[in-house]
């Protein structure tokens, strides 16, 4: 099978005989996801390196827009993933009266960890631009996941509101 792939405004689009034709009984979702010439808008955001490899940087629906700037949760989650005291973490957008949205990190600490908010915020110093740093850190016992094991960010948003 032959499949085409391209980037449109940073989003991966694919087309080929193995790509779906539409959502079952949902013409609006189908029209939103498929172009008239058969390109499927995946919602995955990526960049292409000099060798032509695609690097996923996040999901379009997860982008946090803070003061007009885009923050990709995956960038922050990568920083958090480097901390040996963090078992798992997720970053979502939270309402912010000044910036519209700001990053909120939800963290599951490893057993016997004394990790606190100040230590978490220090992880971002000199790694990401200041506007990308979380403005809120919450420690939780676990992250809600679906049957496929994917973190349910919509559930996290309900948790913080």
């Amino acid at each position: 099978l032959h499949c085409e792939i391209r980037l449109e405004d940073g989003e991966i689009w694919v087309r080929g005989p193995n790509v779906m034709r539409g959502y079952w009984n949902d013409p609006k979702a189908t029209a939103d996801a498929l172009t008239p010439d058969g390109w499927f808008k995946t919602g995955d955001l990526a960049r292409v390196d000099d060798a032509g490899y695609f690097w996923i940087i996040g999901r379009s629906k997860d982008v946090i827009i803070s003061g007009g700037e885009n923050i990709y949760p995956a960038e922050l989650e990568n920083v958090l993933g480097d901390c040996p005291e963090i078992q798992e973490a997720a970053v979502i957008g939270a309402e912010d009266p000044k910036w519209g949205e700001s990053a909120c990190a939800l963290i599951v600490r490893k057993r016997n960890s004394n990790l606190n908010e100040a230590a978490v915020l220090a992880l971002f110093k000199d790694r990401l631009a200041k506007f990308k740093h979380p403005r809120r850190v919450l420690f939780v016992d676990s992250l809600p996941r679906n049957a496929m094991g994917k973190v349910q960010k919509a559930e996290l948003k309900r948790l913080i509101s």
Side-chain angles (χ1 to χ4, degrees):
L1 294 175
H2 175 74
C3 186
E4 298 172 90
I5 185 169
R6 73 182 196 198
L7 275 187
E8 286 291 325
D9 296 323
E11 180 181 24
I12 296 176
W13 288 14
V14 295
R15 178 170 70 177
N18 57 335
V19 176
M20 71 161 189
R21 292 184 181 172
Y23 290 101
W24 177 255
N25 288 332
D26 196 340
K28 170 145 179 27
T30 298
D32 290 344
L34 291 171
T35 66
D37 56 347
W39 287 97
F40 173 60
K41 305 173 195 175
T42 67
D44 292 315
L45 301 175
R47 64 175 177 79
V48 179
D49 67 16
D50 293 338
Y53 291 101
F54 284 58
W55 294 84
I56 306 291
I57 59 172
R59 297 274 303 151
S60 59
K61 66 181 177 181
D62 292 340
V63 173
I64 300 163
I65 302 173
S66 184
E69 298 282 351
N70 289 350
I71 302 171
Y72 300 98
E75 285 183 288
L76 286 79
E77 291 165 352
N78 287 339
V79 170
L80 295 169
D82 288 342
C83 178
E85 291 190 69
I86 294 177
Q87 182 174 322
E88 59 181 346
V91 175
I92 58 172
E95 285 187 34
D96 186 295
K98 182 175 182 180
W99 303 107
E101 274 189 306
S102 61
C104 176
L106 293 102
I107 295 171
V108 178
R109 289 180 275 226
K110 287 192 177 170
R111 187 192 309 243
N112 300 321
S113 169
N114 293 320
L115 189 68
N116 61 28
E117 182 176 11
V120 169
L121 296 176
L123 297 170
F124 295 92
K125 188 175 185 321
D126 300 325
R127 290 199 60 190
L128 292 177
K130 182 75 172 156
F131 78 88
K132 294 181 179 185
H133 296 194
R135 298 199 185 276
R136 192 168 165 198
V137 175
L138 294 175
F139 294 98
V140 295
D141 293 331
S142 64
L143 298 177
R145 296 185 180 276
N146 65 17
M148 300 294 289
K150 185 176 177 183
V151 173
Q152 295 179 302
K153 292 198 173 185
E155 289 295 318
L156 294 176
K157 284 191 179 268
R158 282 192 274 282
L159 182 69
I160 66 167
S161 42

